[in-house]
Amino acid sequence: MSYENIIEETLSEINLVQVNEEAPSKDKIIQNAQWLNDRMYRDGQLYDWIQELAVPFFESSSNTYKVYVYAIGARLFDLGEIKEAKIFFEWCIQIDTNYFQAYKFLGDCLMKLRSRFDTASGYWEEAIQYFRTSIYYCEKTYNDSRGVPKENYLGDNYLKIGICYKEIGELQLGKSFVIKASEIVTDTYTHYQDLGFDNWSQIIHIFNEED
């Protein structure tokens, strides 16, 4: 079976994340973000995103709403506050269940949390589910509004699914996803560096080395 068929079959067996809760009110989200920044971070960029979220806009403009909630989550992630960032990304997908970027970041959060806390099981599997859901909604709803190629969004998810499978001992399956990722991303993609790699050959090597 080709690696393409292996990937297709594997993805078909992974359930999409189901969103069953509603996001808190905008005021509650702002209050939460302000508390975090005032008590813990006093970060200028985070403050700016909170102020943008607080600007009145039409309630029907969920796109504007979710983007600022997402930006706050991304800033918290960059600050290393992964548990707090995860909450904001969860609110993002409650605001918009198609928000593929937020699903991807939720997978990132779980990967980070799993590497820090070795006491909870299922983090890698749950991360895979979020990355798979991100792929589904990216294929379904992608637009070029941020100027990031669709191939890079998809490739990032494939790469991280591959790494997760490696961590749970599914080396050949993980390698298939990594190969797929390396083949579809554009030359502008460098997010493997976030995982501590310099290039695709280095990533493939760790699979061959442990096989």
Side-chain angles (χ1 to χ4, degrees), residues 104-124:
K104 197 280 296 182
F105 248 126
L106 282 163
D108 290 339
C109 287
L110 287 164
M111 288 182 73
K112 289 277 190 181
L113 291 171
R114 180 62 181 83
S115 66
R116 291 183 182 183
F117 306 103
D118 201 36
T119 57
S121 62
Y123 274 36
W124 298 118

Side-chain angles (χ1 to χ4, degrees), residues 64-86:
T64 302
Y65 181 14
K66 72 178 184 183
V67 166
Y68 292 130
V69 177
Y70 177 87
I72 292 168
R75 183 57 185 162
L76 288 168
F77 187 91
D78 289 343
L79 290 169
E81 303 300 334
I82 308 304
K83 286 186 175 180
E84 288 74 15
K86 183 172 177 288

Side-chain angles (χ1 to χ4, degrees), residues 37-50:
N37 201 34
D38 292 345
R39 299 294 181 89
M40 300 174 68
Y41 312 118
R42 298 189 181 278
D43 177 73
Q45 182 63 75
L46 188 56
Y47 174 84
D48 289 344
W49 288 127
I50 295 168

Side-chain angles (χ1 to χ4, degrees), residues 192-211:
Y192 45 69
Q193 295 174 355
D194 300 338
L195 300 172
F197 300 106
D198 296 325
N199 51 58
W200 288 105
S201 297
Q202 191 178 64
I203 302 170
I204 297 296
H205 177 71
I206 66 168
F207 285 86
N208 294 335
E209 191 175 46
E210 296 188 24
D211 192 5

Side-chain angles (χ1 to χ4, degrees), residues 52-111:
E52 291 288 349
L53 179 60
V55 172
F57 50 83
F58 293 112
E59 288 301 320
S60 61
S61 182
S62 62
N63 188 60
T64 302
Y65 181 14
K66 72 178 184 183
V67 166
Y68 292 130
V69 177
Y70 177 87
I72 292 168
R75 183 57 185 162
L76 288 168
F77 187 91
D78 289 343
L79 290 169
E81 303 300 334
I82 308 304
K83 286 186 175 180
E84 288 74 15
K86 183 172 177 288
I87 293 170
F88 281 84
F89 294 128
E90 287 171 346
W91 289 338
C92 283
I93 63 173
Q94 290 166 3
I95 296 167
D96 179 2
T97 56
N98 295 336
Y99 203 170
F100 65 86
Q101 297 97 326
Y103 288 105
K104 197 280 296 182
F105 248 126
L106 282 163
D108 290 339
C109 287
L110 287 164
M111 288 182 73

Side-chain angles (χ1 to χ4, degrees), residues 85-167:
K86 183 172 177 288
I87 293 170
F88 281 84
F89 294 128
E90 287 171 346
W91 289 338
C92 283
I93 63 173
Q94 290 166 3
I95 296 167
D96 179 2
T97 56
N98 295 336
Y99 203 170
F100 65 86
Q101 297 97 326
Y103 288 105
K104 197 280 296 182
F105 248 126
L106 282 163
D108 290 339
C109 287
L110 287 164
M111 288 182 73
K112 289 277 190 181
L113 291 171
R114 180 62 181 83
S115 66
R116 291 183 182 183
F117 306 103
D118 201 36
T119 57
S121 62
Y123 274 36
W124 298 118
E125 292 86 350
E126 190 176 356
I128 289 169
Q129 189 179 15
Y130 277 105
F131 293 131
R132 192 274 173 270
T133 305
S134 180
I135 290 171
Y136 174 82
Y137 285 117
C138 183
E139 293 279 19
K140 183 178 177 182
T141 67
Y142 171 83
N143 64 64
D144 196 26
S145 60
R146 296 185 61 199
V148 178
K150 178 180 180 181
E151 294 82 3
N152 288 3
Y153 278 122
L154 292 173
D156 196 55
N157 282 298
Y158 282 121
L159 169 61
K160 288 166 181 174
I161 289 174
I163 296 298
C164 289
Y165 275 124
K166 171 187 171 294
E167 294 297 333

